[in-house]
DNA sequence: AGTTAACATTTAAGTTACTTAAATATCAGG
DNA sequence: CCTGATATTTAAGTAACTTAAATGTTAACT
């Protein structure tokens, strides 16, 4: 009984997921959808905003890409003036990437727009539903993280 | 009060979303993560599996890319033997794309794996929670679709 | 029939985001 | 001072996109 219902749930999820993904990506934050910056680029800026200056290896670990890929990504961000490269005085192999003022402003702007979007969408369901939804999301995140270690 | 809580929800969502996306993408269906086929390619095969033979314009509309992009995508799928091109006898401008037997088998295999993954993850929460979650997801989808038209 | 506008698809050229493999530079330890 | 590990970049190649322009049909006027 319970088992059957998980199966049905999996079926419906498979059907709904693509529609949702498409829907959300359609209304991504303006600066992203307007092509001023790409999603991976924004995720890096966001990381730097929260974590301060980070070295290339750390960035590529967080983003789960090779350092070679990160070189290109950062290169474009530097060219746009959103981040700066800085040598580590203690170890000259290391290059620290830090947000510029322009980059920090962009992060704030995009985050704000994203929040607005979430508010607009999820403001249409009840507070109880929101609470339920977030709770489940958090549990799923924990389950995913636990499996990662194993 | 209710307003404040939406704000808080938006904040938490912004924080949790990237972690979830990373978690799910890490355990995408094997055939996809093993590099046998890419996500856009799978979505096209899935579309063809459900909708039968479709013309290029229809495919690019569903996928929300240009027809030029679709030409390249389909080209690679043809080269791998997952789909076939067929002229429409009634209108020679039109080229219908249809799944090959090999393509259909791949879709079935990947869908099965994806379902297994969902079962493994969502099997760890209660049936009631699953029902709640799915309900909210469906409402969100409808909200997104309604906004699309406007 | 003959021109033209609209439609369906492809080609060409360029960008971003990746990969692997190899090069370069620096550090740290014997 | 040599060697191995570390940190980053370069080089070459692929997939997935974009815009702009070319090619082939079809359908509708005149």
């Amino acid at each position: 009984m319970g088992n059957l219902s998980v199966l049905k749930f999996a079926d419906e999820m498979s059907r709904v997921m693509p529609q949702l993904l498409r829907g959300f990506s359609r209304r991504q934050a303006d600066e992203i959808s307007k092509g001023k910056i790409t999603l991976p680029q924004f995720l890096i800026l966001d990381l730097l905003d929260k974590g301060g200056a980070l070295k290339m290896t750390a960035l590529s670990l967080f983003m789960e890409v090779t350092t070679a890929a990160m070189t290109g990504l950062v290169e474009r961000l530097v060219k746009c003036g959103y981040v700066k490269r800085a040598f580590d005085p203690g170890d000259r192999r290391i290059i620290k990437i830090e947000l510029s003022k322009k980059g920090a402003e962009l992060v704030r702007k995009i985050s704000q727009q994203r929040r607005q979007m979430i508010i607009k969408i999820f403001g249409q369901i009840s507070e109880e539903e929101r609470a339920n939804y977030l709770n489940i999301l958090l549990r799923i995140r924990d389950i995913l993280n636990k499996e990662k270690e194993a």
Side-chain angles (χ1 to χ4, degrees), chain A:
Chain A
M1 240 296 253
N3 188 28
L4 194 102
S5 146
V6 183
L7 287 172
K8 210 179 158 199
F9 174 82
D11 269 353
E12 301 218 45
M13 273 294 279
S14 293
R15 207 172 308 133
V16 175
M17 273 312 249
Q19 300 173 39
L20 275 171
L21 287 177
R22 234 176 280 151
F24 273 111
S25 68
R26 204 184 316 117
R27 72 201 59 245
Q28 246 163 21
D30 276 346
E31 307 297 322
I32 291 180
S33 67
K34 296 278 197 294
K36 284 201 178 179
I37 197 184
T38 66
L39 189 56
Q41 284 174 8
F42 170 69
L43 292 175
I44 292 169
L45 295 188
D46 193 47
L47 216 54
L48 292 172
D49 191 45
K50 285 169 186 154
L54 291 173
K55 59 179 188 169
M56 296 298 286
T57 318
L59 281 177
S60 54
L61 269 176
F62 273 119
M63 293 291 293
E64 297 185 350
V65 299
T66 60
T67 57
M70 195 46 70
T71 297
L73 279 161
V74 166
E75 188 53 42
R76 279 164 231 128
L77 288 171
V78 168
K79 206 174 283 175
C80 294
Y82 294 131
V83 304
K84 281 179 291 188
R85 279 189 244 247
F87 287 92
D88 184 315
D91 185 340
R92 274 186 297 180
R93 288 171 303 180
I94 293 173
I95 292 183
K96 287 273 184 76
I97 311 299
E98 49 188 45
L99 266 187
S100 69
K101 202 172 284 184
K102 187 180 171 189
E105 275 164 27
L106 184 60
V107 171
R108 213 171 347 270
K109 203 164 150 194
I110 295 181
S111 300
Q112 187 52 32
Q113 288 171 342
R114 193 165 57 171
R115 218 165 335 189
Q116 294 288 335
M117 189 263 276
I118 293 175
I119 290 170
K120 193 170 178 190
I121 304 296
F122 286 89
Q124 296 182 49
I125 65 176
S126 78
E127 188 165 340
E128 196 193 339
E129 284 172 314
R130 277 197 299 272
N132 268 328
Y133 184 76
L134 189 58
N135 262 329
I136 295 172
L137 240 42
L138 291 171
R139 299 236 341 247
I140 296 299
R141 181 200 57 184
D142 292 341
I143 290 170
L144 287 171
N145 284 339
K146 209 172 291 171
E147 291 235 335
K148 181 187 182 180
E149 290 154 25

